[in-house]
Amino acid sequence: MATELILPQPDDWHVHVRDGALLNTVVPYSARQFARALIMPNLQPPVTTCEQALAYRQRILAAVPSGQSFNPLMTLYLTDHTDPLDITRAALNECILAAKLYPAGATTHSEAGVTAIERLDPVLDTLQEQGLVLCVHGEVTDADVDLFDREAVFIDRILAPLVRRFPALKVVLEHITTREGVEFVRDSSGLIAATITPQHLLYNRNALFRGGLRPHYYCLPVLKRETHRQALLEAATSGNPKFFLGTDSAPHRRQDKESACGCAGCFSAPAALELYAEAFEHAGALDQLAGFASHYGADFYGLARNTATVTLVRDRWQVPETLPCNGDTLIPLAAGETLSWRLRD
Ligand code: DOR
Ligand code: ZN
C-alpha cells in the first residue's frame, strides 16, 4: 500500500474567502493547500467591477502568509445591470478569469443576482466574444420547485437553452450535485465543464440528519441522495477532464451556522485535498486525483499547469473540532472525523 502520494500542486477553481477579519483567518488555509484559486465574488456589496475585483485581490494577497505563494484569480458578480464594458475590461486583465451567475435568491448574498436570464444576453454575448468563462450557480429559485430538484430544473429550463443560444461560450456548472448535472456536462461540448466539492463526493443527504440536525453539512446546492453521490464520484474519478476540483469552501462563523436560520456553506479549506484523497481512495481511484485536482481545471481555463509538487502522507489524523477566528469559532468540514491522508508541510 502506497504511503506517499506526490501530486502536482493543485488549484481550487471555486472558493469563498470572504473579507475583513474572516478573510485574514481563512486565506492561509487555502494558500497552504493550493497554488491558485478562483475567488467567488459574493461579498456584501458584491464584486461587480474590475476595480473592485482587483482591490479585493490585493486584500487577499495581503493575507497570504509570508513565504507562501498563492495566486487568487478573480470573478465578477453578474447583476441585472452589469455593463458589457466591464466584461471587455476584465478580459484584458489576466487576474480576472470569469463572471459568476447567481440567480437572485439562490444562495448566500445572491440578492443582487440576476432576476431574469434574458436580461443578460448582451453580457453573455460579450463573455462569449472575449473568451471569458461563465461560472454558474445552477439552481432555480421558484418557490414551487422542490429544493432537491432545483439543479435538475435549472439545467432543463435555463442552462440547456443558454448553451444552445451561446454555443461558443465557456461555461462551468459549479458544484454539481446530481446525476442530471453529471450527464448534462458529460454530453455537452468541450466548452462545458463542472466543479465538484469534497462534501458532495463524501456524503449524501443523510449526513444532514445523522442523529439530529447537522448544520455544518448544510450547503447549497444541498447534499442529495446516494445515487447522485455515486454519479459524482464516478465523474470525478473517470479521468474525464470536464470534471475538476472546486471546493466551494464557504466559511461562516459557528453562531451563524448553528442558528434557527443557519447559513449555507461548508468550510472545507483546512483539509480540502485530504478530503478529496479520502473520496478517491474509497473509489479505488487515487491514480485519478492528479488530473482532477491539478490538471483539468488549469487546462479548461487555458492556464499553464503547476510544476511544483505537494506530498500527501498516509497518516491517520483527526480533523479539528473547532478552529479559532478572531474570538469566534469556525467548524471545519468533517470536524472530528479521522482521515487517512495528511498534506505534508
Ligand atoms: O453553500 C453555499 N455557500 N453555497 C453557495 O452557493 C454560497 C456559499 C456561501 O457563500 O456561503
Ligand atoms: Zn460557492
Side-chain angles (χ1 to χ4, degrees), residues 151 155 159 163 171-173 176 178-196 227 230-236 238-244 300:
E151 182 172 293
I155 291 169
L159 191 57
V163 162
V171 179
V172 178
L173 184 54
I176 54 170
T178 58
R179 189 173 285 282
E180 290 88 344
V182 167
E183 289 171 358
F184 176 79
V185 170
R186 188 195 60 201
D187 300 340
S188 295
S189 84
L191 297 176
I192 314 301
T195 53
I196 307 182
T227 170
Q230 292 288 345
L232 295 167
L233 199 55
E234 274 168 37
S238 66
N240 183 336
K242 287 166 158 274
F243 301 99
F244 49 81
F300 182 83

Side-chain angles (χ1 to χ4, degrees), residues 18 108 199 203 205-223 250-268 321 330-335 337:
R18 313 305 189 198
T108 309
Q199 64 267 27
Y203 311 114
R205 65 193 194 177
N206 286 352
L208 284 163
F209 307 108
R210 188 168 40 85
L213 194 56
R214 301 279 184 166
H216 301 291
Y217 294 82
Y218 171 56
C219 64
L220 288 172
V222 73
L223 295 171
H252 293 276
R253 294 175 314 162
R254 177 181 199 159
Q255 61 267 38
D256 297 331
K257 297 280 300 170
E258 298 175 7
S259 146
C261 186
C263 294
C266 297
F267 180 39
S268 58
E321 297 278 2
L330 296 173
I331 310 291
L333 180 65
E337 292 181 35

Side-chain angles (χ1 to χ4, degrees), residues 14 16 18 40 42 100 102 106-109 137 139 175 199-200 218-222 248-252 257 263-266:
H14 183 129
H16 302 265
R18 313 305 189 198
M40 291 299 124
N42 60 333
K100 178 73 186 273
Y102 288 105
T107 188
T108 309
H109 301 162
H137 183 109
E139 290 191 287
H175 40 54
Q199 64 267 27
H200 293 103
Y218 171 56
C219 64
L220 288 172
V222 73
D248 198 20
S249 180
H252 293 276
K257 297 280 300 170
C263 294
C266 297

Side-chain angles (χ1 to χ4, degrees), residues 2 4 6 22 24 28 59 105 109 127 129-130 138 173 203 205 217 232-233 249 292 296 322 339 342:
E4 264 192 15
I6 299 174
L22 188 49
N24 291 310
R59 299 197 293 282
H109 301 162
L127 285 169
E129 182 188 292
Q130 299 289 330
L173 184 54
Y203 311 114
R205 65 193 194 177
Y217 294 82
L232 295 167
L233 199 55
S249 180
F292 175 82
Y296 305 150
T322 63
L339 302 182
R342 181 199 280 280

